[in-house]
Amino acid sequence: MRRVRAWAAAHPTGALFARFIAVGVLNTAFGYSCFAVLLYFGLPYAVALLIATVLGVLFNFKSTGMFVFKSRDNSLIFRFVLVYGVVYGINVILLKLLLLIGLNSYQAGALCLLPMALLSFVLMRAVAFRGV
């Protein structure tokens, strides 16, 4: 544990990114769990997805803000949602380009994971939680 703390102190951006990824795993589990529970209770998939997405964004905002950027400022939600929208748009464009060169949707989606995580981290840090 001492080595982890020493590494984190020497590499603050790396430590921040590691927390970002860990919280991302938690956020993904939360969002999918909401979706699955709503489906279990009989909601149509589109309604379940909408509700799970809204709950997921709110949960992600709080967990990313508190555990990654150490912020409890609820007024940052608008910038957070803006970053979500930008990352989504760029992800769709990148997916389309990868599909055009012959990859299937699964391959394209897998290839987008790391670049979109990096982009999301950079934008969350520079826009959504700027100055925090």
Side-chain angles (χ1 to χ4, degrees):
M1 187 57 111
R2 190 179 323 178
R3 286 184 186 189
V4 172
R5 286 190 191 121
W7 181 87
H11 303 90
T13 299
L16 193 66
F17 185 67
R19 284 197 313 267
F20 182 80
I21 294 300
V23 168
V25 170
L26 173 68
N27 292 342
T28 299
F30 176 83
Y32 183 77
S33 295
C34 289
F35 177 69
V37 166
L38 293 167
L39 286 178
Y40 177 80
F41 284 112
L43 272 71
Y45 74 88
V47 174
L49 182 60
L50 175 64
I51 294 169
T53 299
V54 170
L55 293 174
V57 168
L58 295 173
F59 181 84
N60 295 355
F61 172 68
K62 294 308 285 182
S63 62
T64 300
M66 289 189 327
F67 299 120
V68 178
F69 296 102
K70 309 296 186 207
S71 173
R72 295 181 185 270
D73 185 352
N74 290 330
S75 71
L76 301 176
I77 185 77
F78 302 107
R79 295 191 322 211
F80 185 85
V81 171
L82 173 68
V83 167
Y84 245 79
V86 168
V87 171
Y88 171 79
I90 292 171
N91 198 1
V92 168
I93 292 167
L94 184 55
L95 280 169
K96 180 64 173 174
L97 293 172
L98 292 171
L99 292 171
L100 288 173
I101 65 169
L103 296 178
N104 67 42
S105 297
Y106 297 103
Q107 294 165 328
L111 282 176
C112 288
L113 286 173
L114 183 58
M116 290 303 102
L118 289 169
L119 176 63
S120 180
F121 173 72
V122 167
L123 292 178
M124 288 294 176
R125 189 172 184 194
V127 177
F129 294 98
R130 175 185 67 236
V132 173

